Amino acid sequence: MKNLKDLQLDELEQLMVSLGEAKFRAKQIFGWLYSGSETFEDMSNIPAALKRKLQDAGWGTGSFKAEKIQVSKFDGTRKYLFRLEDGNAIESVFMKYKYGNTVCVSSQAGCRMGCRFCASTIGGLSRNLTPGEISEQILAAERDAGKPVNHVVVMGTGEPFDNYDNLSKFIRIINDKSGRNMGMRNITVSTCGLVPMIDKFGKDFPQVNLAISLHAPNDQIRSKMMPINNKYHIGELIAACRKYAQLTSRRVTFEYTLVKGVNDSVAHALELAELLRGMLCHVNLIPLNKVEETGLDTTSREAAEKFLEVLTGKGIPATIRREMGGDIDGACGQLRLGGKK
């Protein structure tokens, strides 16, 4: 079935015209789609004849329900397993913060980047998600939790820049004032470092937050942890990030997963501080959330705090990320492709 949530407002207007309907019907339907309506029946001011036309033409609202919901007993984080129309399954996470509620969404069913510490890449890439499938993760989580979502992070399964066209359309759709009306600054996109796309992203979406999965202070360690580094070396990546910060005047967030005995020493912290010196940035230190298949272990709290002390002492803004959803495998690096039916 074709998904109305895959359409931007102007495309929905074109669809209305092609069906012999008035253009203003598009704005009405668009508003319903992003206010939580799951079916055409919910759209009270849309004529029954138009609903039939849409159904006869193979269009649906693209709504889906969670096949499985897990709730953290520690912080109320909710992890969803969503079954897609083609049988693929993806995971998303709803998190409560003091500043509002955030949903971590997936951009692909699986991932082909092969990062050694991450569950998302186990099983490889099945396919890209459409704009509507990315959006619906927010809406479905919001309906279940019964609370408004204020922020979105594209940090679930998949590499967002490997699905750039659909990612871009998703951002424009949820930002549209006639629909979800989510501010650009409330959206964060994380990439493992597809260097050519960083420049494009900065030009296309200068107000959207950029996060870089860095996880190492040098090529030797990063190439072992992240195969993408063999294509785009760390010097290239950091140069692209410096250019991005200058272009947008926005800070870059670097995600750095601390793995015991791999990248968590004082020497590594000093090397990282030198690498990032003078850049408008922030480092999120993430003690590894264990994934059984990787064989890697998390750093100690003492080592994480020492790493933080070294960075801040060298003038690099940094924090240790608060772990959320760890008891339900919903923390950073733990989301994965669900089994296909």
Side-chain angles (χ1 to χ4, degrees):
M1 183 169 284
K2 294 177 286 187
N3 186 354
L4 286 172
K5 290 193 181 86
D6 287 337
L7 303 181
Q8 292 178 222
L9 180 56
D10 61 335
E11 294 172 321
L12 192 51
E13 287 174 342
Q14 292 167 23
L15 176 60
M16 290 299 105
V17 171
S18 73
L19 294 174
E21 297 287 337
K23 261 183 159 183
F24 76 88
R25 293 294 183 196
K27 187 173 279 192
Q28 290 178 324
I29 292 171
F30 198 76
W32 282 113
L33 290 172
Y34 294 97
S35 63
S37 297
E38 295 183 69
T39 66
F40 289 131
E41 286 65 39
D42 297 333
M43 302 179 185
S44 57
N45 61 348
I46 304 301
L50 173 53
K51 294 175 186 177
R52 283 195 299 273
K53 280 184 186 179
L54 288 168
Q55 289 170 329
D56 290 346
W59 289 97
T61 61
S63 298
F64 45 65
K65 284 186 168 64
E67 186 171 283
K68 184 178 181 182
I69 302 173
Q70 293 172 268
V71 183
S72 170
K73 62 186 177 184
F74 299 123
D75 53 42
T77 294
R78 304 173 77 84
K79 184 174 80 166
Y80 302 96
L81 178 72
F82 293 120
R83 183 69 57 184
L84 306 179
E85 198 173 64
D86 65 355
N88 276 299
I90 56 171
E91 291 186 323
S92 315
V93 180
F94 175 96
M95 298 164 286
K96 292 185 284 187
Y97 291 98
K98 288 179 182 177
Y99 57 77
N101 301 313
T102 296
V103 171
C104 175
V105 299
S106 295
S107 56
Q108 297 177 307
C111 183
R112 62 175 176 170
M113 294 297 113
C115 298
R116 189 179 162 208
F117 53 87
C118 184
S120 300
T121 198
I122 297 169
L125 175 67
S126 182
R127 69 168 174 85
N128 288 331
L129 298 185
T130 70
E133 288 171 330
I134 305 174
S135 300
E136 177 58 17
Q137 294 169 66
I138 304 167
L139 301 168
E142 198 170 49
R143 289 194 301 266
D144 169 72
K147 298 181 184 300
V149 170
N150 316 99
H151 298 78
V152 173
V153 293
V154 190
M155 293 185 184
T157 59
E159 163 53 55
F161 285 177
D162 194 33
N163 187 19
Y164 192 83
D165 289 346
N166 286 332
L167 170 75
S168 300
K169 200 170 181 182
F170 155 73
I171 293 171
R172 293 190 180 100
I173 287 170
I174 64 165
N175 174 247
D176 196 305
K177 289 180 171 58
S178 298
R180 195 62 187 72
N181 192 25
M182 181 167 287
M184 291 286 190
R185 293 192 178 208
N186 288 9
I187 304 167
T188 300
V189 175
S190 175
T191 176
C192 68
L194 275 64
V195 167
M197 305 310 296
I198 293 173
D199 186 58
K200 180 171 175 54
F201 183 73
K203 291 172 181 173
D204 290 347
F205 301 105
Q207 297 301 309
V208 175
N209 303 302
L210 175 66
I212 303 290
S213 293
L214 187 61
H215 310 305
N218 58 50
D219 280 324
Q220 183 181 6
I221 297 173
R222 195 166 194 266
S223 291
K224 288 179 181 177
M225 294 178 71
M226 305 178 71
I228 192 66
N229 198 70
N230 294 312
K231 185 168 186 179
Y232 303 113
H233 292 174
I234 203 165
E236 252 186 294
L237 174 60
I238 297 303
C241 291
R242 289 185 184 277
K243 183 179 176 184
Y244 168 91
Q246 290 170 352
L247 173 70
T248 63
S249 299
R250 307 291 308 282
R251 75 177 189 181
V252 178
T253 296
F254 289 100
E255 297 158 332
Y256 193 101
T257 296
L258 291 162
V259 184
K260 186 176 181 179
V262 175
N263 65 351
D264 64 338
S265 71
V266 167
H268 294 138
L270 288 168
E271 194 173 3
L272 180 62
E274 182 59 27
L275 184 70
L276 303 181
R277 183 164 54 89
M279 193 192 308
L280 183 61
C281 69
H282 182 271
V283 178
N284 252 338
L285 296 173
I286 310 166
L288 176 73
N289 297 300
K290 289 184 73 171
V291 175
E292 189 177 339
E293 293 94 329
T294 68
L296 298 174
D297 203 358
T298 189
T299 196
S300 67
R301 185 71 194 185
E302 182 184 1
E305 288 175 352
K306 184 62 181 175
F307 203 102
L308 174 66
E309 183 185 326
V310 172
L311 288 183
T312 54
K314 290 292 184 178
I316 306 296
T319 50
I320 299 173
R321 180 181 287 176
R322 172 187 164 204
E323 180 189 296
M324 299 187 72
D327 60 323
I328 56 172
D329 288 341
C332 186
Q334 293 182 319
L335 301 191
R336 61 178 72 210
L337 174 68
K340 200 168 181 182
K341 270 191 174 176

